[in-house]
């Protein structure tokens, strides 16, 4: 595993994990005057950028109230004091800067001048789209991926069988207990960089920081306790389809409030919504998206599981395993600089489901996610996609709509087999730990 070791402020040894997303950041930096890195709190945005920064790049954080006041009251003088190249952390606290950054980059036209980070994505991106459209490249970060923890840096997950087979020789094998230990611990870098950090205290502090610094700033969230309760309800429903009425009923708020609060969790990067796959050849497909927590450790903390062992044996074991696999696949695309991963799911009115679908380059790849080692009949619902292939071969069905033509690719059952094993000519068992 490729690691760098540095002494921490407490006299111990601090471990830093190399991040797969670094080349994507460097590419965007060479393309745009402004690099914007978004993502939840404490997932390593500033740490990574600090390590990538050139020696002459200034680094300033608006978390400091004195510096924040300076940026807000005199943004022009602030940019003279912290002239590019500069990294401005938590830039959303001083929206007054954005117009002056726009004037600067339009005048200088130099790539990589400004690196901006922010945890309040919902607030920061509003100013980016208004003031820096066409001038900023955006990267979305999440916590550590399983492959990063293992010291590997794989491309985005696809059902490229030769590529996946090659991973078997470099990925540490994991038992189901190992997987649930990782699920329970989560993906926050701090928990891996310093093993002395208490997991429960960390997540309790994380929630307090998120509520106090991000949510409290939003006038639309009047009841912080109710919002925290809402987060717990969403966590308990991870890997299920969004039902705003049900969420609202459990928390005691209106459905529009539940919808707004979920949008805050999504824009914060804490929850992702996977949209249903649709195609004219498919009938009776439901339209509600499916929601997943991106950090399974935070999800487990909110749902009050006290150990990896009880989680593995508990009623939510399947939901957590699915959430972990989906989040790992999702992160594999983010780490290539793709902030809109080509991921979907399928569910119809007959309750036939496919957990995940990758759709790109005209290929539909069905993926089922199961906790077992060799689940039987796991691909039985893949047949619901057969009308797509039939229609793709029908020249008349897609007349004037060639962009809807698709082929069904090699399918996968992501589970816990001892090896990559073919199920039949079209489908494979794929170990979850090689994603």
């Amino acid at each position: 595993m490729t690691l760098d070791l540095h002494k921490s402020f407490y006299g111990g040894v601090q471990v830093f994990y190399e991040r797969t997303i670094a080349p994507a950041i460097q590419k965007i930096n060479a393309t745009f005057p402004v690099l914007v890195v978004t993502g939840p709190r404490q997932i390593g945005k500033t740490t990574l950028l600090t390590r990538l920064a050139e020696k002459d790049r200034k680094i300033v954080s608006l978390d400091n109230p004195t510096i924040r006041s300076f940026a807000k009251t005199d943004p022009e003088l602030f940019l003279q004091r912290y002239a590019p190249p500069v990294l401005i952390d938590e830039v959303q606290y001083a929206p007054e800067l954005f117009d002056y950054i726009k004037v600067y980059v339009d005048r200088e036209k130099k790539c990589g001048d400004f690196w901006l980070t922010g945890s309040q994505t919902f607030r920061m991106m509003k100013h980016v789209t208004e003031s820096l459209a066409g001038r900023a490249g955006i990267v979305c970060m999440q916590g550590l991926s399983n492959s990063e923890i293992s010291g590997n840096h794989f491309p985005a997950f696809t059902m490229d069988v030769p590529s996946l087979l090659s991973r078997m020789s470099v990925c540490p094998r994991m038992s189901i207990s190992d997987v649930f230990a990782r699920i329970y611990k989560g993906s926050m870098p701090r928990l891996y960089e310093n093993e002395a950090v208490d997991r429960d205290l960390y997540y309790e502090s994380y929630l307090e920081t998120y509520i106090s610094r991000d949510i409290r700033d939003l006038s639309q969230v009047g009841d912080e306790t109710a919002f925290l309760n809402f987060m717990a309800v969403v966590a308990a429903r991870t890997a299920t389809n969004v039902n705003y009425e049900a969420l609202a009923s459990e928390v005691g708020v209106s459905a529009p409030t539940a919808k707004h609060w979920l949008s805050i969790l999504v824009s914060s990067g804490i929850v992702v919504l996977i949209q249903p796959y649709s195609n004219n050849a498919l009938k009776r497909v439901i339209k509600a998206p499916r929601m997943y927590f991106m950090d399974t450790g935070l999800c487990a903390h909110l749902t009050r599981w006290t150990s990896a062992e009880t989680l593995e044996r508990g009623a939510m074991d399947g939901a957590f395993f699915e959430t972990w696999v989906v989040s790992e696949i999702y992160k594999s695309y983010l780490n290539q600089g793709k902030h809109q991963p080509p991921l979907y799911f399928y569910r119809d009115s007959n309750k036939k489901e496919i957990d995940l679908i990758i759709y790109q380059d005209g290929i539909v790849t069905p993926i089922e996610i199961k906790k077992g080692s060799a689940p039987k009949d796991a691909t039985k619902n893949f047949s619901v996609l057969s009308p797509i292939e039939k229609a793709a071969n029908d020249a008349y069905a897609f007349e004037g709509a060639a962009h809807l033509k698709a082929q069904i690719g090699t399918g996968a059952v992501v589970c816990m087999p001892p090896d990559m094993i073919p199920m039949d000519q079209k489908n494979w068992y794929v170990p979850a730990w090689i994603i």
Side-chain angles (χ1 to χ4, degrees), residues 352-413:
K352 291 186 176 181
E353 291 186 356
I354 299 173
D355 291 332
L356 203 62
I357 288 175
I358 301 174
Y359 176 55
Q360 59 182 354
D361 299 326
I363 305 294
V364 175
T365 301
I367 300 173
E368 195 67 16
I369 302 167
K370 301 291 184 185
K371 178 186 169 186
S373 60
K376 306 296 182 184
D377 300 324
T379 62
K380 63 182 180 181
N381 288 337
F382 289 3
S383 61
V384 300
L385 299 175
S386 56
I388 296 174
E389 207 150 41
K390 181 180 178 181
N393 296 321
D394 184 347
Y396 297 102
F398 280 91
E399 186 175 359
H403 62 288
L404 295 176
K405 294 178 68 173
Q407 298 289 334
I408 300 174
T410 302
V413 178

Side-chain angles (χ1 to χ4, degrees), residues 190-419:
R190 179 67 174 160
L191 296 176
Y192 293 88
E193 292 168 354
N194 188 339
E195 293 291 341
V197 174
D198 182 274
R199 173 197 172 277
D200 293 331
L201 291 177
Y202 175 85
Y203 280 118
E204 203 62 41
S205 174
Y206 183 91
L207 286 171
E208 173 59 31
T209 301
Y210 175 65
I211 297 294
S212 64
R213 292 195 182 183
D214 294 343
I215 301 307
R216 196 169 292 167
D217 287 345
L218 297 173
S219 59
Q220 301 96 324
V221 179
D223 190 337
E224 296 168 14
T225 302
F227 186 84
L228 184 60
N229 186 32
F230 177 78
M231 290 184 69
V233 169
V234 173
R237 290 174 171 267
T238 188
T240 67
N241 297 339
V242 175
N243 184 324
Y244 294 114
E245 287 75 17
L247 291 172
S249 176
E250 285 196 54
V251 182
V253 298
S254 68
T257 296
K259 186 174 184 178
H260 174 64
W261 285 2
L262 185 61
S263 73
I264 291 174
L265 294 178
V266 171
S267 61
S268 300
I270 290 176
V271 171
V272 297
L273 299 182
I274 304 296
Q275 299 299 325
Y277 176 75
S278 62
N279 184 294
N280 284 358
L282 302 175
K283 308 298 182 183
R284 299 185 298 277
V285 178
I286 68 158
K287 297 181 179 180
R290 184 163 289 183
M291 57 188 180
Y292 293 94
F293 255 69
M294 284 299 286
D295 186 89
T296 52
L298 178 60
C299 190
H301 180 77
L302 284 163
T303 46
R304 303 304 178 192
W305 295 97
T306 58
S307 70
E309 292 76 20
T310 56
L311 180 58
E312 181 187 344
R313 297 191 301 266
M316 289 189 69
D317 60 331
F320 268 91
F321 186 79
E322 180 181 334
T323 297
W324 183 69
V325 170
V326 170
S327 69
E328 290 297 316
I329 294 175
Y330 198 97
K331 282 185 281 190
S332 78
Y333 283 89
L334 294 185
N335 287 341
Q336 302 303 314
K338 299 179 180 180
H339 56 275
Q340 292 184 324
L343 303 180
Y344 306 86
F345 78 101
Y346 177 91
R347 181 180 169 93
D348 61 26
S349 57
N350 295 323
K351 298 185 178 180
K352 291 186 176 181
E353 291 186 356
I354 299 173
D355 291 332
L356 203 62
I357 288 175
I358 301 174
Y359 176 55
Q360 59 182 354
D361 299 326
I363 305 294
V364 175
T365 301
I367 300 173
E368 195 67 16
I369 302 167
K370 301 291 184 185
K371 178 186 169 186
S373 60
K376 306 296 182 184
D377 300 324
T379 62
K380 63 182 180 181
N381 288 337
F382 289 3
S383 61
V384 300
L385 299 175
S386 56
I388 296 174
E389 207 150 41
K390 181 180 178 181
N393 296 321
D394 184 347
Y396 297 102
F398 280 91
E399 186 175 359
H403 62 288
L404 295 176
K405 294 178 68 173
Q407 298 289 334
I408 300 174
T410 302
V413 178
V414 178
C415 52
M416 293 299 297
D419 202 347

Side-chain angles (χ1 to χ4, degrees), residues 65-212:
T66 302
I67 295 177
R68 183 191 315 166
S69 176
F70 178 28
K72 290 176 69 67
T73 56
D74 199 337
E76 188 171 18
L77 185 60
F78 177 90
L79 291 182
Q80 291 178 26
R81 168 62 183 85
Y82 299 104
V86 61
L87 161 59
I88 306 175
D89 192 27
E90 301 296 354
V91 70
Q92 76 276 352
Y93 288 136
E96 295 83 359
L97 288 173
F98 285 92
D99 286 339
Y100 288 89
I101 292 174
K102 174 185 176 182
V103 171
Y104 187 97
V105 300
D106 285 350
R107 181 179 70 244
E108 300 297 329
K109 296 181 171 61
K110 184 180 177 183
C111 292
D113 267 347
F114 290 91
W115 292 1
L116 310 178
T117 77
S119 302
Q120 292 182 355
T121 309
F122 39 84
R123 176 164 293 179
M124 182 175 73
M125 291 310 300
K126 178 177 183 292
H127 298 292
V128 170
T129 54
E130 288 177 353
S131 301
L132 300 177
R135 302 165 179 87
I138 301 167
V139 174
C140 301
M141 274 187 71
Q142 282 287 339
L144 291 169
S145 67
N146 187 54
S147 60
E148 287 173 327
I149 295 169
S150 301
N152 294 306
H153 303 284
F154 298 130
F157 178 83
T158 63
M159 271 307 294
D160 180 346
V161 172
S163 174
L164 293 179
L165 286 171
S166 70
R167 295 187 187 187
M168 296 297 299
S169 62
V170 296
C171 288
R173 293 177 181 270
M174 300 175 71
S175 67
I176 191 65
S177 297
D178 294 332
V179 167
F180 269 86
R182 189 144 293 170
I183 288 172
Y184 183 73
K185 189 170 186 176
S187 62
M188 292 297 182
R190 179 67 174 160
L191 296 176
Y192 293 88
E193 292 168 354
N194 188 339
E195 293 291 341
V197 174
D198 182 274
R199 173 197 172 277
D200 293 331
L201 291 177
Y202 175 85
Y203 280 118
E204 203 62 41
S205 174
Y206 183 91
L207 286 171
E208 173 59 31
T209 301
Y210 175 65
I211 297 294
S212 64

